Amino acid sequence: MGAKPAAQSDSEPTAWYLYLIECKNGAFYAGITTDIERRYAQHLSGKGAKYTRANPPKKLIGLKAYANRSEASKAEYAVKQLPKKLKANFLRDA
């Protein structure tokens, strides 16, 4: 999964992350969070999104940081509109 983001003080803005998971059924799941390790663990334990409860994660494909929730949400929407073969590239190209 890579390095854990550094802890931030209350005065610093919190980074939001767009992440992409490959599920055991071969589909990709995109989501956003401020704590990727916690959120991925939720998906693995069956306490994450409804989709990943029904289609368990196989691996975390990657993540990309955004300055705020609004930007991360826009990126999440954009990646969900792409065909599967282009989704992983979104994290590199965005």
Side-chain angles (χ1 to χ4, degrees):
M1 280 191 327
K4 182 177 179 179
Q8 296 177 331
S9 70
D10 291 335
S11 62
E12 293 180 35
T14 301
W16 281 82
Y17 298 91
L18 166 66
Y19 61 93
L20 193 61
I21 294 172
E22 181 180 2
C23 298
K24 290 182 180 176
N25 68 354
F28 287 157
Y29 173 84
I32 62 170
T33 186
T34 57
D35 185 342
I36 190 64
E37 289 183 2
R38 175 190 53 79
R39 188 65 177 140
Y40 189 63
Q42 288 175 331
H43 289 299
L44 288 174
S45 71
K47 297 178 183 171
K50 184 177 180 181
Y51 187 84
T52 58
R53 286 194 300 269
N55 303 283
K58 180 178 174 182
K59 65 180 176 180
L60 180 65
I61 300 294
L63 61 117
K64 182 170 175 64
Y66 290 88
N68 55 56
R69 184 179 185 146
S70 176
E71 293 302 315
S73 292
K74 289 174 188 175
E76 178 187 20
Y77 177 79
V79 78
K80 287 180 175 183
Q81 304 311 303
L82 295 173
K84 181 183 176 188
K85 63 183 178 182
L86 298 178
K87 288 184 181 190
N89 290 337
F90 185 90
L91 297 175
R92 287 188 291 264
D93 301 337

